Coordinates of all heavy atoms in Angstrom, one line a residue:
V92 N 67.9 96.7 97.2 CA 66.5 96.5 97.2 C 66.1 95.7 98.4 O 66.6 94.5 98.6 CB 66.0 95.9 95.9 CG1 64.5 95.6 95.9 CG2 66.4 96.8 94.7
I93 N 65.3 96.3 99.3 CA 64.7 95.6 100.5 C 63.2 95.9 100.6 O 62.8 96.8 99.9 CB 65.5 96.0 101.8 CG1 65.4 97.5 102.0 CG2 66.9 95.5 101.8 CD1 66.0 98.0 103.3
E94 N 62.5 95.2 101.4 CA 61.1 95.5 101.6 C 60.9 96.7 102.5 O 61.3 96.8 103.7 CB 60.4 94.3 102.3 CG 59.0 94.5 102.5 CD 58.3 93.4 103.3 OE1 58.9 92.3 103.4 OE2 57.3 93.6 103.9
V95 N 60.3 97.8 101.9 CA 60.1 99.0 102.6 C 58.8 99.6 102.1 O 58.5 99.5 100.9 CB 61.3 100.1 102.3 CG1 61.0 101.4 102.9 CG2 62.6 99.5 102.8
D96 N 58.0 100.3 102.9 CA 56.8 101.0 102.5 C 56.7 102.3 103.3 O 57.4 102.5 104.2 CB 55.6 100.1 102.5 CG 55.2 99.7 103.9 OD1 55.2 100.5 104.8 OD2 54.9 98.5 104.1
E97 N 55.6 103.0 103.0 CA 55.5 104.3 103.5 C 55.0 104.3 105.0 O 54.9 105.4 105.6 CB 54.5 105.1 102.7 CG 55.0 105.5 101.3 CD 54.9 104.3 100.3 OE1 54.3 103.3 100.5 OE2 55.6 104.4 99.2
T98 N 54.7 103.2 105.5 CA 54.3 103.1 106.9 C 55.5 103.0 107.9 O 55.4 103.0 109.1 CB 53.4 101.9 107.2 OG1 54.1 100.7 107.0 CG2 52.1 102.0 106.3
M99 N 56.7 102.8 107.3 CA 57.9 102.6 108.0 C 58.7 103.9 108.2 O 58.3 104.9 107.6 CB 58.8 101.5 107.3 CG 58.1 100.2 107.2 SD 59.1 99.0 106.2 CE 58.0 97.7 106.1
R100 N 59.7 103.8 109.0 CA 60.6 105.0 109.1 C 62.0 104.6 109.0 O 62.4 103.4 109.3 CB 60.3 105.7 110.5 CG 60.8 105.0 111.7 CD 60.4 105.8 112.9 NE 61.0 105.2 114.1 CZ 60.9 105.7 115.3 NH1 60.2 106.8 115.5 NH2 61.5 105.1 116.4
Y101 N 62.9 105.5 108.7 CA 64.3 105.4 108.6 C 65.0 106.0 109.8 O 64.6 107.1 110.3 CB 64.8 106.1 107.3 CG 66.3 106.3 107.2 CD1 67.1 105.3 106.7 CD2 66.9 107.4 107.7 CE1 68.5 105.5 106.6 CE2 68.2 107.6 107.6 CZ 69.0 106.7 107.1 OH 70.4 106.9 107.0
V102 N 66.0 105.3 110.4 CA 66.8 105.8 111.5 C 68.2 105.9 111.0 O 68.8 104.9 110.6 CB 66.7 104.9 112.7 CG1 67.6 105.5 113.8 CG2 65.2 104.8 113.2
G103 N 68.8 107.1 111.0 CA 70.1 107.3 110.4 C 71.2 106.9 111.4 O 71.0 106.5 112.6
L104 N 72.4 107.0 110.9 CA 73.6 106.6 111.7 C 73.7 107.5 113.0 O 74.3 107.1 114.0 CB 74.9 106.7 110.9 CG 74.9 105.8 109.6 CD1 76.2 106.1 108.8 CD2 74.8 104.4 110.0
D105 N 73.2 108.7 112.9 CA 73.2 109.7 114.0 C 71.9 109.6 114.8 O 71.6 110.5 115.6 CB 73.4 111.1 113.5 CG 72.4 111.5 112.4 OD1 71.5 110.6 112.1 OD2 72.5 112.6 111.8

Side-chain angles (χ1 to χ4, degrees):
V92 177
I93 56 176
E94 181 187 338
V95 174
D96 65 46
E97 292 79 13
T98 64
M99 299 175 186
R100 72 181 188 179
Y101 164 89
V102 179
L104 301 177
D105 53 4

